[in-house]
Amino acid sequence: MSGFNRLLKNSISNIINGFSNIILGIIISPFLLKILSLDDFSIWNLALQIGTFFSLIGYACQMTVARYITTARKKEDINLEKDVIRKGVILSIISIFFCLFIIFFCFINFSSFFHQIKPELFTTARYCVALISLSFVIGFFGSVFSGFFTGCERNDIPAIINLLSRILLGVVVIFIAKFGIVYMSIAFLTINILSYFSMYIFYMKNIHKSNSLDNKINEHVSIRKFAHYFMGMCGVNMSSFILIGMNGVLIGKYAFSEYSYYSLSMVLVTAAVGFISSALLPTMQPMIRFYDNETKINNLLYELTVFVSLFIFILLVLSIYVSPFFLKLWVGTTVADKTLMIFLSLLSVNLVRLIGLPISLFYFAKAKQNEIIYLPFIEAVISIAITIILVNKFSVYAVPISLFIAAVIIFIIYSFKLVYIVGEKYRFFYRVLFLIYPIVILGYMYLNVSYILNSYIGLIIVIPLFLLLLRKIKSIKNILGS
């Protein structure tokens, strides 16, 4: 299979794999809104938001295993693969015990964290949050074996398992929603455990095939080096949770009456962000393979960055016209009218933040993620601080405002610090992009939403951008090998 076709297959599989929970949320939300009370629906979404914290630790384990499996495959060292899996299992067990302590602490002190939830709902809410969180924590085991398939560039296997389990979960959750969110949480936990066990079974089948090709090499991954990479990935993922998840928790704490509209918006925003991120993540494998080819790496990063920038612009332009109709179809006119503006605000600022993703992935591919780990933390701290200051005045809109201010500051740092990892030929392009693109795009979105929302003139811009997007796809294909 050619390099481009393999990347395309893995990107599609990774979208399905990382996207399945989001797709589930989009599909079942209208049904749950009809069955559950607005308070129960908000608690269910709050539990999923908190569970995201734990899923990010599992994702860090998956990507750590994936990176070292890719290295082992490049060296054709089966024993090294086995050692990577052993290290992954050890880290997952340690992480599970750590997270179980956090779940227990939050369970005991739940009413102190979420005092705006009605007292009669406290018991239901804390059991729901605990069960959903436990479901993600147990998934740390499954993330090790999912990372094996990611490293082997066989993303299709976990994608199929996750897709089938999400379909089953969606049907079961809707069916038992009438019994309450605690029963929904139990179903969530049970079906997820089955999916993790399925991942292990598929891993065992594949590892038995590899055993027949066992070699004499006896290389091992240093546990310190492995844990160092894992902690770096955890740091980046945790900062993402602080940035996105904690903003949601703050809205749940200080503006609970509007949390349902915020959570509905974030389901769609996370879907859009997850789609782009999941599609790009498999590019780490060719980056590792092209590690010693500086020209190829620089060209690939440039083409990917331009592609992402164009795709985001097209998506935002189309969202202005499509969103009102989609939201009304999805959740009804009343809820859609209250959700539209916060959705467009959150979508715009969260997508614009992704233009730096290709360079960030290159840092991960070179195992230099610790050189940039402080940036997401700075962004998160700035955003959370501004949200806390503004939430009483601007309610849910405090979040997109804080995200925009934090993103601009971070892109200024990107422009003068991170671009040195790429060739000198493209550094000026990256500086201009990081400094100008966020302000231009968000300014365009604000003017359209505020003044010409019903005008279709903006759609004309999409045609030349789409043609340029196709050219960039062709360029990426040429770099990877047609």
Side-chain angles (χ1 to χ4, degrees):
M1 184 180 292
S2 70
F4 180 78
N5 289 337
R6 182 167 57 246
L7 175 63
L8 184 62
K9 185 196 77 170
N10 285 321
S11 293
I12 294 173
S13 298
N14 209 49
I15 288 170
I16 296 172
N17 191 26
F19 215 1
S20 52
N21 278 320
I22 301 168
I23 295 172
L24 175 66
I26 293 173
I27 294 174
I28 71 173
S29 288
F31 297 99
L32 295 181
L33 277 170
K34 294 178 181 178
I35 301 171
L36 302 174
S37 67
L38 201 57
D39 283 338
D40 280 347
F41 179 77
S42 296
I43 291 169
W44 172 255
N45 280 284
L46 181 63
L48 293 174
Q49 187 75 60
I50 294 171
T52 302
F53 166 80
F54 301 105
S55 71
L56 291 175
I57 297 177
Y59 183 69
C61 185
Q62 175 187 335
M63 294 310 297
T64 303
V65 171
R67 185 192 185 278
Y68 286 100
I69 288 293
T70 299
T71 302
R73 284 287 165 120
K74 185 178 180 181
K75 296 178 179 180
E76 299 182 347
D77 188 345
I78 303 302
N79 290 325
L80 182 58
E81 287 186 23
K82 295 176 182 178
D83 188 56
V84 170
I85 296 299
R86 282 193 295 269
K87 299 296 194 307
V89 171
I90 292 171
L91 284 178
S92 69
I93 292 173
I94 296 172
S95 301
I96 285 173
F97 280 106
F98 172 73
C99 291
L100 286 176
F101 172 78
I102 295 176
I103 293 173
F104 179 75
F105 179 80
C106 293
F107 183 83
I108 297 299
N109 299 281
F110 188 82
S111 59
S112 301
F113 293 121
F114 301 101
H115 56 81
Q116 285 201 4
I117 296 177
K118 296 175 182 178
E120 60 269 24
L121 296 175
F122 275 150
T123 301
T124 299
R126 69 178 186 170
Y127 275 104
C128 177
V129 170
L131 288 168
I132 294 293
S133 299
L134 181 62
S135 170
F136 286 110
V137 169
I138 295 174
F140 294 171
F141 282 120
S143 67
V144 175
F145 309 114
S146 181
F148 170 80
F149 292 114
T150 301
C152 297
E153 298 188 84
R154 287 298 311 274
N155 300 57
D156 52 305
I157 293 176
I160 293 171
I161 294 172
N162 280 316
L163 181 61
L164 293 177
S165 67
R166 296 313 94 177
I167 293 173
L168 176 61
L169 183 57
V171 173
V172 172
V173 164
I174 292 173
F175 178 75
I176 67 173
K178 59 185 177 182
F179 299 107
I181 56 177
V182 173
Y183 287 97
M184 292 164 58
S185 304
I186 294 172
F188 193 91
L189 172 63
T190 303
I191 294 174
N192 276 341
I193 290 175
L194 291 175
S195 71
Y196 306 146
F197 185 66
S198 300
M199 197 81 69
Y200 172 74
I201 291 174
F202 273 91
Y203 163 75
M204 291 304 296
K205 289 182 177 180
N206 278 268
I207 202 66
H208 284 321
K209 293 177 182 178
S210 299
N211 283 339
S212 62
L213 303 174
D214 206 353
N215 54 25
K216 302 293 184 180
I217 303 175
N218 194 30
E219 185 176 348
H220 296 279
V221 179
S222 163
I223 185 65
R224 182 177 179 180
K225 185 177 180 182
F226 193 84
H228 193 242
Y229 190 91
F230 171 73
M231 293 302 294
M233 289 296 298
C234 281
V236 173
N237 288 342
M238 288 306 101
S239 61
S240 298
F241 173 79
I242 293 172
L243 186 66
I244 304 301
M246 280 303 297
N247 273 317
V249 172
L250 287 172
I251 297 301
K253 182 176 177 66
Y254 295 107
F256 187 74
S257 60
E258 296 184 71
Y259 184 77
S260 57
Y261 309 118
Y262 175 87
S263 63
L264 284 170
S265 299
M266 283 307 299
V267 167
L268 297 177
V269 170
T270 306
V273 172
F275 178 88
I276 297 173
S277 300
S278 298
L280 284 177
L281 279 173
T283 61
M284 279 185 61
Q285 272 66 49
M287 287 179 190
I288 294 172
R289 291 201 306 270
F290 299 156
Y291 191 87
D292 298 324
N293 193 329
E294 186 176 342
T295 301
K296 228 173 188 180
I297 284 289
N298 286 327
N299 290 339
L300 178 61
L301 286 175
Y302 170 76
E303 298 296 343
L304 284 173
T305 302
V306 175
F307 173 83
V308 171
S309 303
L310 290 171
F311 186 81
I312 288 172
F313 194 12
I314 292 172
L315 188 60
L316 288 176
V317 171
L318 293 177
S319 70
I320 295 175
Y321 307 103
V322 175
S323 297
F325 305 104
F326 175 79
L327 287 172
K328 289 177 182 178
L329 182 65
W330 186 41
V331 292
T333 302
T334 303
V335 177
D337 290 341
K338 296 179 180 180
T339 305
L340 176 61
M341 295 306 296
I342 182 61
F343 165 66
L344 289 175
S345 301
L346 289 168
L347 180 69
S348 301
V349 71
N350 277 283
L351 287 185
V352 164
R353 293 176 58 249
L354 293 180
I355 60 173
L357 184 58
I359 283 186
S360 297
L361 288 176
F362 186 45
Y363 271 90
F364 286 109
K366 296 186 73 172
K368 292 185 176 182
Q369 73 281 355
N370 291 333
E371 294 183 14
I372 64 171
I373 191 174
Y374 69 95
L375 290 173
F377 274 110
I378 292 175
E379 185 180 13
V381 170
I382 293 171
S383 176
I384 294 301
I386 296 174
T387 298
I388 292 173
I389 294 170
L390 300 180
V391 68
N392 289 327
K393 182 176 181 180
F394 294 98
S395 188
V396 292
Y397 291 97
V399 175
I401 293 172
S402 69
L403 286 173
F404 172 68
I405 295 172
V408 169
I409 294 172
I410 292 304
F411 278 129
I412 291 173
I413 299 175
Y414 261 66
S415 301
F416 294 100
K417 191 169 181 66
L418 296 196
V419 295
Y420 289 102
I421 200 171
V422 302
E424 189 173 352
K425 176 182 177 181
Y426 295 116
R427 289 174 188 171
F428 179 74
F429 160 78
Y430 285 109
R431 289 194 176 103
V432 172
L433 180 73
F434 292 148
L435 293 174
I436 303 299
Y437 186 89
I439 297 174
V440 171
I441 297 301
L442 293 176
Y444 173 84
M445 290 293 292
Y446 174 77
L447 291 174
N448 271 270
V449 171
S450 301
Y451 301 107
I452 54 172
L453 185 60
N454 295 320
S455 171
Y456 289 87
I457 296 176
L459 290 175
I460 299 174
I461 301 175
V462 171
I463 299 174
L465 290 180
F466 182 73
L467 294 176
L468 185 57
L469 189 73
L470 293 178
R471 289 185 60 185
K472 292 303 166 185
I473 293 174
K474 184 176 180 181
S475 298
I476 294 171
K477 184 176 180 179
N478 290 334
I479 294 171
L480 294 175
S482 57

